[in-house]
Amino acid sequence: MNEPTQDILEAESDVLVRKIKHYLITIFGRVLEEADADEYYLAFCYAMREKIMINWQATAETWLTRDVRTVYYLSMEYLPGRFLNNNIMNLKNQEVVGRVLKKTGRALHDLVSHEYEPNLGNGGLGRLASCFMDSLATLKMPARGYGLRYQYGLFEQQIWDGVQIEKPDLWLRTENPWEFRRDLRKLMVKLCGTPIRSPNVPEEVYDLVDPEEVWAMPYDIPILGYSPTNDFAVVTLRLWSTKESPRNFQLQRYNAGRLDQAAENTTLTDVLYPSDVHETGRRIRLKQEFLLASASLQDIFRYYFSRNKDISAFGDKVRIQINDTHPAVLIAELMRMLTKHFNVAWKQAWEITQNCTGYTNHTLMTEALEAWDQNLFRYLLPRQYKIIERINLDFCTMLRTKYPNDEDRVRRMSVLENGQVRMANLSIIGSHKVNGVAELHTEILKARAFREFYELYPDRFVNITNGVTHRRWLRNANPDLASFISKRIGTGWIQDFSQISRLAEFAADEESQKQFLEVKRACKSHLLDFLNDEGRPRDAVGKQLPANLKLDTSALFDIQVKRVHEYKRQLLKALHLIVRYQEILENPFVARAKRLVIFSGKAAASYEMAKTIIRLISCIDKKVNNDPVANQLLNVAYVENYFVSRAEIIIPAADVSEQISTAGMEASGTGNMKFSMNGALTVGTEDGANVEMRQAITDAWWPFRFGASSEEITDMRTKNSYRAWDLYTGNSRLKRAVDALRYRTLATHDIEHQSLSALYYSLLESSWGSQPDRYFVLKDFDSYYTVQKRVEALYQMPLKWAEYAIHNIAGMGKFSTDRAISEYSNKIWDLTSAPLDPEILERVRAAYRESDPTVVQ
Ligand code: 26W
């Protein structure tokens, strides 16, 4: 499509200015000159979103009339980030917006910073779901996302002198222009109550007596796809809320004095559970998961019957992907609805359920695998529990036939065991496809975590390696690098990221190397401005301290940003920092490269050891940054409150990306991909998607691989042959660093000393029956130390470094969610793209033009 002429741009910007003024007057009773930033932001968004509504309507109508197969993505978490800039970019409106801002005397940075991003997720799983939504829309796949509209997203993290403080995330404090409340679409969900057999129906179905009735109110968020032409599709993300409906308040309970229970259902979607480590086992969480499953299923059936007269085509028209086990109760609820409401025979209903459903596993951490207490489950979801009993009975009977006299296997594979409802087993049994999120992860699922299920259903297990949307994480987050790329290979990569491989041709080109280094330097300068402003540390009472960084953009920016977890080994990086600091004190000339180490990430609220690791890092920060010798060579910063918009500032500035998890523990990682796309070199273990990134980029340009392999780790675990103490005593450099944890080298007061000592003991002594150093930090320390030496050596050769960096960008073609979604569509959903019907689009456009009050007809 040819570029719009200046006149068109000018005309379009005039129309947009008129619309903004129209909304300011009609909604806020304000003229432009007196409108405050909040009012201007909202009026701007109202004006901007008009175009979106056209394609949103046309998309919905096209898919409705075409009666295409549709995929429904169910996730308890989404991390969409801010919408405004992404929408401007996908509407290709940057230039028009630039003119509008000039004409109205406003700045883009101020505008976008007025948006509170919806922190409706913990980390990788939630962000992946949002990257998937962007690619589903861009690939014009008939799809819809379902989730919950938490009143409070993931807590706001503040770090007061090393201590993580959790503050409520009031993201809905001001109006959100990117959501649309759909009152006419609210649905009722039934919980608790007593199941009684429904009379004279063939199958074993139940009515519910005296249930709790909860109204779920949908809020729709338009997710814009990218298209070089104006026929971009808009997918709906529908988030359920229980806040609005007064009927959710249970007066009887209130009168009975049980106030908490009375309000429980109105508060059901109040809070996102801030843990991505331990399954909560909490009743509210199970109620939330069922609310998502039941409301979404009812909505799916309503949409299906809006274009189908009977249930016969349901198995063909509907595909449902459950994002980890969190929505897995859906499998039981689908069976209940098919057998009860649509009189489908059990056997046929089971086939439909399996054919419709796909399950994605995102973690191997046993403590993260959901297993609900049977009594709690039976109390809250009595009918669904009965369905699971029946599913499990059929399944175990089949197992006993296939594996006679192997009760242990039946016990291991059963959904109901030890008083628990094991949601992973239910998800595998109830789905036609189960996928891991990286090749190594899927292999481990098949070889260990789900080995017996893999033996039983070999064709059910597939791998679909994660990705990220390169439009947000490269094109939008790093516009300078985007134009560096487009100048060399054109703009086709925005829609087809496989074209990025053509950038490799420029890796050895000195001019390109210099320009790349200039782009990186500008990103580093932008981050430094942030670190010396909003990102400054706080004292023990939360007051922001003056900036304490001495280094500039010539320093190596070495970054580890992700949730804090022992398996992600922020502790390994911290130990290396202590060694570097001790070496610098010994001999300041030891450090060949100045290094700024940046951490960021939240710890789950109940995860003490993770909080202790944050405390250690800020102890190191205080020690090193205030040491007049060391701070000329090494600086440390812990940026509080990591979330999508902060990642978009931090990631483009990285020279080095730290992906150092214990091999076999990180299912995939997606931060690793974002860093590499932005030209950072990865210091990585052979874990998760690091392995596939190395293979795609090739070993020649992946110089910083280190650490034990997942096989070696598994071997040491099974043989219990790991001796952390011997490594500690046998390595003076390591011993001195570990001892610093115990000998008050870093601690400035007793509490710090106690918590740092806890880390010391976790490395060297077994506690609570767990082995010392469960994540093999000491094991990998030496090879980590060596590889960091190589990092400093290569960084001395900037042009060579740039050559590596350009190859690390060029090798990332596979890691776009466009590729991942294409694989889901081919391997699991058998879904085809359904572009907008041009006639429908033109008709909606015409209707809009006729109705537009700001255009002189
Ligand atoms: C029940 C509490 C809970 C909540 C969330 C347990 C586990 C989770 C998530 C599965 C944790 C998570 O975010 N996993 C990450 O998912 C990413 C997307 O696939 C992967 O890239 C990461 O490796 C994985 O840790």
Side-chain angles (χ1 to χ4, degrees), residues 77 122-126 128 275-280 285 324 326 362-363 368 370 437 466 567-568 666-670:
E77 304 186 20
N122 277 286
L125 171 139
L128 182 81
S275 165
D276 69 344
V277 218
H278 306 96
E279 60 98 16
T280 61
R285 171 75 178 191
D324 217 281
H326 312 154
H362 296 267
T363 183
E370 293 187 300
V437 290
N466 280 166
Y567 86 80
K568 294 174 185 281
E666 187 69 84
S668 163
T670 46

Side-chain angles (χ1 to χ4, degrees), residues 71-82:
V71 65
Y72 301 95
Y73 198 82
L74 269 69
S75 179
M76 286 288 281
E77 304 186 20
Y78 289 91
L79 282 171
R82 286 180 171 141

Side-chain angles (χ1 to χ4, degrees), residues 191 214 242 263-271 284 287-288 291:
L191 296 143
V214 182
T242 60
E264 183 168 287
N265 291 334
T266 49
T267 65
L268 218 41
T269 55
D270 270 13
V271 184
I284 296 272
K287 278 186 159 184
Q288 288 180 339
L291 182 90

Side-chain angles (χ1 to χ4, degrees), residues 491-635:
T491 60
W493 62 273
I494 300 171
Q495 201 181 15
D496 169 13
F497 202 50
S498 68
Q499 295 184 22
I500 197 75
S501 59
R502 290 170 40 215
L503 194 69
E505 293 154 32
F506 299 89
D509 166 49
E510 186 160 325
E511 193 42 44
S512 298
Q513 292 167 356
K514 287 190 176 129
Q515 282 192 11
F516 168 80
L517 292 171
E518 181 41 38
V519 166
K520 184 58 75 174
R521 194 203 55 71
C523 293
K524 292 161 82 168
S525 163
H526 183 49
L527 176 57
L528 266 183
D529 295 347
F530 169 82
L531 291 175
N532 293 326
D533 176 9
E534 280 170 75
R536 285 173 292 128
R538 296 172 191 271
D539 65 14
V541 292
K543 198 163 98 9
Q544 272 202 311
L545 295 163
N548 65 350
L549 302 176
K550 301 283 184 293
L551 298 176
D552 60 21
T553 58
S554 66
L556 174 85
F557 278 34
D558 176 9
I559 302 182
Q560 185 175 25
V561 290
K562 52 188 70 227
R563 288 294 295 247
V564 180
H565 199 295
E566 290 164 279
Y567 86 80
K568 294 174 185 281
R569 300 204 293 191
Q570 282 89 353
L571 180 55
L572 175 57
K573 182 123 206 78
L575 276 179
H576 181 257
L577 273 176
I578 297 170
V579 167
R580 299 302 289 147
Y581 173 58
Q582 291 171 330
E583 288 178 341
I584 288 170
L585 292 188
E586 237 170 26
N587 159 3
F589 306 103
V590 82
R592 288 191 297 280
K594 293 178 180 171
R595 188 191 290 246
L596 168 57
V597 178
I598 299 164
F599 293 90
S600 191
K602 296 172 181 176
S606 58
Y607 192 176
E608 279 317 314
M609 195 56 98
K611 290 182 169 182
T612 303
I613 291 166
I614 294 176
R615 195 192 269 276
L616 167 64
I617 294 167
S618 56
C619 284
I620 297 170
D621 164 333
K622 283 186 289 185
K623 196 78 178 179
V624 172
N625 294 2
N626 300 319
D627 180 301
V629 176
N631 67 20
Q632 299 307 306
L633 294 160
L634 183 61
N635 283 180

